[in-house]
Amino acid sequence: MLRIHQVKVDTVYIPLERRKLLDSDKALKLAEDILENGMKLPIMVRFDGKRHIIVEGLHRLEAARILGDTTIPAYLVQAKKH
């Protein structure tokens, strides 16, 4: 079972190809929803030994930034091995 960790928002690395997928309007609407209803689902990150890297939840992470949150709930997952 996955455990929820609190991860610092400003330390989560977003790879360039993921950054291109960010929709600012969607993140803003999500931030408004989080204000009213709270964060419903933690983001998913993996740890590469140096930093946390976003796996899932890019817009939730950006919404947390918009709201000025310093931490965000996250599941720590393993990287896929190919």
Side-chain angles (χ1 to χ4, degrees):
M1 180 163 201
L2 293 173
R3 241 181 45 210
I4 298 174
H5 300 268
Q6 290 296 319
V7 176
K8 291 184 179 182
V9 170
D10 60 353
T11 64
V12 177
Y13 175 72
I14 305 168
L16 184 58
E17 62 273 5
R18 296 290 306 245
R19 274 181 230 193
K20 293 177 184 178
L21 302 174
L22 183 62
D23 179 342
S24 299
D25 290 333
K26 183 177 178 180
L28 186 57
K29 288 177 185 174
L30 186 55
E32 292 170 358
D33 183 67
I34 290 170
L35 267 178
E36 291 180 21
N37 304 305
M39 182 77 67
K40 296 176 185 169
L41 185 66
I43 64 171
M44 289 186 185
V45 296
R46 64 182 176 87
F47 189 69
D48 70 356
K50 297 178 185 174
R51 60 188 175 187
H52 290 97
I53 301 170
I54 190 81
V55 173
E56 192 66 44
L58 176 63
H59 289 94
R60 282 172 276 160
L61 178 64
E62 186 61 23
R65 279 197 180 111
I66 290 168
L67 294 172
D69 293 342
T70 57
T71 62
I72 188 168
Y75 291 125
L76 186 59
V77 298
Q78 299 294 318
K80 290 182 181 177
K81 295 182 181 178
H82 299 282

